[in-house]
Amino acid sequence: MNLILQLLLIYSAYLVLIAAHEGGHALAIRRVGYHWQSCQIGPLLLEPTRRPQFSGTLFGGKITYTTLSRKRLFHHDFWVIIGGILMNLLIVIATSTLFSFLPPSQRAQEWLLPMVSTLSLGMVIGSFLPFSQRYVGLDSDGLQLLRLLSKKKHY
């Protein structure tokens, strides 16, 4: 397989993992009774009332949500923040398990499952790092979690 095709496949896998990560947040948002407003997955911006649009960024993801008039609760916000990380962790477990069931003769040829597992594990670790990208309005899950934990006594 040539290098350009491999890079396109890796980027596609990365976007699928971002979608899964943001989907984990969206599941948690729905589960706690909040409502999502927009979701960005790489260059794709999704909003419930509009057609998909393209944004100016190629990497990362972000989901915005509202609580409507409902009071925000610590454990609700905690699960929303951790939802994406848990989804990536499930993908690491699933792809690693699936790879372990492959016959040894196929493992040498199979590079997609370990690559997806490694990318997803990198996202789990990276999500816990507290950083902010102010130019796109993106705070990492780790930074959001630190802020939430520092406010716990005020909930």
Side-chain angles (χ1 to χ4, degrees):
M1 188 179 309
N2 71 30
L3 181 62
I4 293 176
L5 186 57
Q6 283 181 332
L7 290 174
L8 283 173
L9 192 57
I10 290 170
Y11 181 69
S12 298
Y14 169 76
L15 288 179
V16 168
L17 290 173
I18 291 290
H21 180 92
E22 299 308 326
H25 289 303
L27 287 172
I29 287 167
R30 184 174 180 176
R31 179 72 178 111
V32 301
Y34 296 169
H35 299 278
W36 73 281
Q37 295 174 314
S38 68
C39 181
Q40 181 180 337
I41 301 164
L44 188 61
L45 179 64
L46 305 169
E47 295 174 329
T49 58
R50 299 172 76 181
R51 292 174 37 166
Q53 302 171 349
F54 286 99
S55 66
T57 183
L58 294 176
F59 299 99
K62 177 182 177 180
I63 192 162
T64 58
Y65 60 94
T66 182
T67 61
L68 296 178
S69 61
R70 189 174 180 174
K71 182 181 175 188
R72 292 181 74 120
L73 299 173
F74 172 83
H75 66 279
H76 287 174
D77 288 346
F78 175 81
W79 285 111
V80 168
I81 294 169
I82 207 88
I85 298 169
L86 290 176
M87 183 63 77
N88 284 118
L89 195 56
L90 285 172
I91 291 170
V92 169
I93 293 167
T95 53
S96 298
T97 303
L98 189 58
F99 185 74
S100 70
F101 283 112
L102 287 176
S105 61
Q106 277 189 304
R107 286 186 194 169
Q109 302 169 46
E110 179 60 52
W111 63 275
L112 185 61
L113 287 175
M115 186 265 309
V116 167
S117 184
T118 303
L119 275 175
S120 196
L121 181 60
M123 288 178 67
V124 168
I125 294 167
S127 292
F128 277 113
L129 298 176
F131 65 88
S132 179
Q133 294 179 346
R134 300 241 182 257
Y135 60 92
V136 291
L138 177 70
D139 290 339
S140 71
D141 294 338
L143 185 58
Q144 291 178 46
L145 197 55
L146 278 176
R147 286 181 182 150
L148 180 68
L149 292 173
S150 70
K151 290 192 253 179
K152 183 178 182 190
K153 59 186 168 202
H154 302 294
Y155 264 80

